[in-house]
Amino acid sequence: MTPKRPTGAGAFPKAVETPAPLLADPAELYAALDLGTNSCRMLIAQPKGSQFHVVDSFSKSVQLGSGLESSGALCRSSISRTIQALRVCRKKLEKHDVKRMRLVATEACRRAKNSRDFLRRVQRETGLRLEIIKPEEEARLAVISCAPLVSTKTEQLLVVDIGGGSTELVWIDLSTVPRAERPRAIMRLHTGFKNADSPFPHAKVVDWISVPLGVATLMEQFSDVEDDAARFALMSWYFEEKLADFTPYANDPAREGFQIIGTSGTVTTVAASHLGLKRYDRNKVDGLRMTSEQIDRVIRDYLSMGPAGRKRDPRIGRDRQELIMSGAAILQALLRIWPTDRLSVADRGLREGLLYAQMSADGVLEEAVP
């Protein structure tokens, strides 16, 4: 069953209220915007076979959630930065005459007491209508964006999306799905985590959790700890405590059939550092597989640098310097629980998931050939 499009999903009334045609035009452009706690990102793309071709993109660190932990509200300067970024997005949507889109906001807007006022101001000043999505949908979209990276050898899959304000984990059992069908089975989760009754093998979502801690919110909680190494250790153990209610917590999967896919700026930055890249290269990072030991080596290197050294390191980047250790603390906690020889690095996430879900619902993507 094709999911209904939420009434606040698009920027322009016609794009939202007009129902999808029975046969959507595969040449039509689609857009996906993800307004998170730290960044505002957008992709404009065209369906191409079983994938899509990116026509235009936008990414800006707006720090929308700055000060949210202490005040419970979005502050004026953060709102101003965000609206400026959204004006750029609006111009790009108009330039490409995009009609089909989903524009979503996540954890910062879920938690802020003034988020509704903020969304009304966004619509008034930019013409864009954003919808606040629930944690389950955020997790689901992150999962389907990673479908192409799922190994046919994987029986137990953990997808981790480390955001600015929250971290989503989804555990999926693929053991009953034929090997060649496993990536495709993940893509089919765009209709929801609860599988309809079906005689065919399907991806089973064992459990999922949205932890209200991301790189920005975790950093803010421990900003008063001066010692760099002590702050890192406290952040990592604190995050691990928040996973106690996650059902597969006590599982000890065999490394051979277990795969973690990590999607976040933290994971891609760690991968770039591991590769020694002076300039980020998505083609080298997306899909890279790393072991727990390789990741731990990079994190130890970050700690030995100290704050001053990390600021000078070109592999980390200016936007990531203050947030890399809180992200690394989350990553270390996960690998302490589930060490793996196959952590797949995904330079993809909510935007890609939004695009896949829209295109799949409209039937403009071809079935991938195993």
Side-chain angles (χ1 to χ4, degrees):
M1 179 178 177
T2 301
K4 293 182 179 179
R5 183 183 298 264
T7 56
F12 317 109
K14 289 184 179 178
V16 178
E17 295 171 1
T18 302
L22 294 176
L23 292 174
D25 182 0
E28 191 168 7
L29 295 181
Y30 288 73
L33 186 146
D34 166 21
L35 178 59
T37 303
N38 190 55
S39 302
C40 175
R41 303 175 188 142
M42 185 178 72
L43 286 178
I44 297 174
Q46 183 178 38
K48 187 176 183 181
S50 62
Q51 303 290 318
F52 54 77
H53 168 69
V54 175
V55 174
D56 203 348
S57 64
F58 175 81
S59 181
K60 180 74 173 178
S61 175
V62 295
Q63 299 175 26
L64 179 61
S66 179
L68 180 61
E69 283 295 303
S70 56
S71 69
L74 306 175
C75 69
R76 288 184 180 181
S77 58
S78 298
I79 289 174
S80 178
R81 285 192 301 269
T82 303
I83 288 178
Q84 288 178 12
L86 290 171
R87 285 194 179 109
V88 177
C89 293
R90 170 64 189 249
K91 289 179 180 177
K92 287 179 177 287
L93 291 168
E94 290 180 334
K95 174 186 174 183
H96 295 286
D97 192 27
V98 181
K99 297 293 193 302
R100 307 201 63 73
M101 64 191 78
R102 277 196 78 186
L103 317 176
V104 306
T106 56
E107 187 66 13
C109 288
R110 284 196 292 261
R111 296 174 61 184
K113 58 189 177 185
N114 60 339
S115 60
R116 295 296 173 183
D117 291 337
F118 165 65
L119 293 187
R120 282 193 289 266
R121 181 177 168 185
V122 166
Q123 184 173 356
R124 184 173 66 250
E125 297 189 20
T126 70
L128 302 182
R129 292 194 293 171
L130 276 64
E131 59 170 315
I132 302 174
I133 60 173
K134 294 181 179 180
E136 180 175 351
E137 183 168 14
E138 184 176 359
R140 178 169 55 81
L141 291 166
V143 167
I144 66 173
S145 75
C146 296
L149 301 182
V150 175
S151 169
T152 56
K153 298 178 182 178
T154 297
E155 296 192 350
Q156 300 294 323
L157 173 68
L158 175 63
V159 177
V160 180
D161 181 14
I162 305 173
S166 65
T167 299
E168 281 68 44
L169 294 86
V170 184
W171 193 290
I172 301 168
D173 184 351
L174 291 166
S175 59
T176 63
V177 180
R179 286 192 171 192
E181 291 281 330
R182 288 173 183 176
R184 189 182 299 174
I186 297 297
M187 184 70 76
R188 288 176 181 148
L189 290 173
H190 76 84
T191 58
F193 279 166
K194 294 182 179 179
N195 297 287
D197 292 334
S198 171
F200 303 105
H202 55 261
K204 178 184 177 184
V205 176
V206 177
D207 198 10
W208 73 275
I209 188 173
S210 180
V211 182
L213 289 171
V215 294
T217 47
L218 186 60
M219 180 189 70
E220 280 196 26
Q221 287 208 15
F222 290 88
S223 60
D224 59 338
V225 181
E226 293 185 5
D227 184 80
D228 190 49
R231 182 170 57 251
F232 173 80
L234 286 169
M235 289 190 296
S236 187
W237 286 108
Y238 183 68
F239 183 84
E240 183 174 342
E241 287 179 356
K242 299 300 180 182
L243 297 177
D245 294 332
F246 191 43
T247 300
Y249 180 85
N251 284 14
D252 186 18
R255 285 197 179 194
E256 185 178 345
F258 176 55
Q259 180 184 11
I260 299 180
I261 298 180
T263 168
S264 70
T266 294
V267 180
T268 56
T269 300
V270 168
S273 295
H274 168 66
L275 295 173
L277 301 180
K278 296 296 175 64
R279 178 174 293 182
Y280 186 80
D281 186 342
R282 183 184 188 276
N283 293 327
K284 293 181 179 179
V285 170
D286 187 50
L288 177 72
R289 290 184 182 176
M290 299 182 67
T291 65
S292 299
E293 290 77 12
Q294 289 171 330
I295 294 169
D296 189 56
R297 195 176 304 126
V298 172
I299 294 175
R300 289 201 307 269
D301 188 27
Y302 288 161
L303 282 170
S304 66
M305 290 181 194
R310 293 193 294 270
K311 285 183 179 179
R312 295 191 298 268
D313 193 322
R315 302 170 303 172
I316 296 175
R318 293 181 181 178
D319 289 348
R320 188 61 48 180
Q321 288 164 0
E322 292 186 354
L323 303 172
I324 188 58
M325 294 316 296
S326 52
I330 293 172
L331 190 55
Q332 187 191 67
L334 297 172
L335 295 179
R336 196 161 50 235
I337 304 168
W338 300 292
T340 181
D341 291 329
R342 284 196 293 172
L343 183 139
S344 297
V345 179
D347 186 348
R348 54 187 71 209
L350 193 54
R351 294 174 302 168
E352 288 83 358
L354 287 164
L355 288 172
Y356 278 132
Q358 288 181 87
M359 293 176 184
S360 295
D362 285 355
V364 294
L365 290 180
E366 297 174 6
E367 283 284 318
V369 178

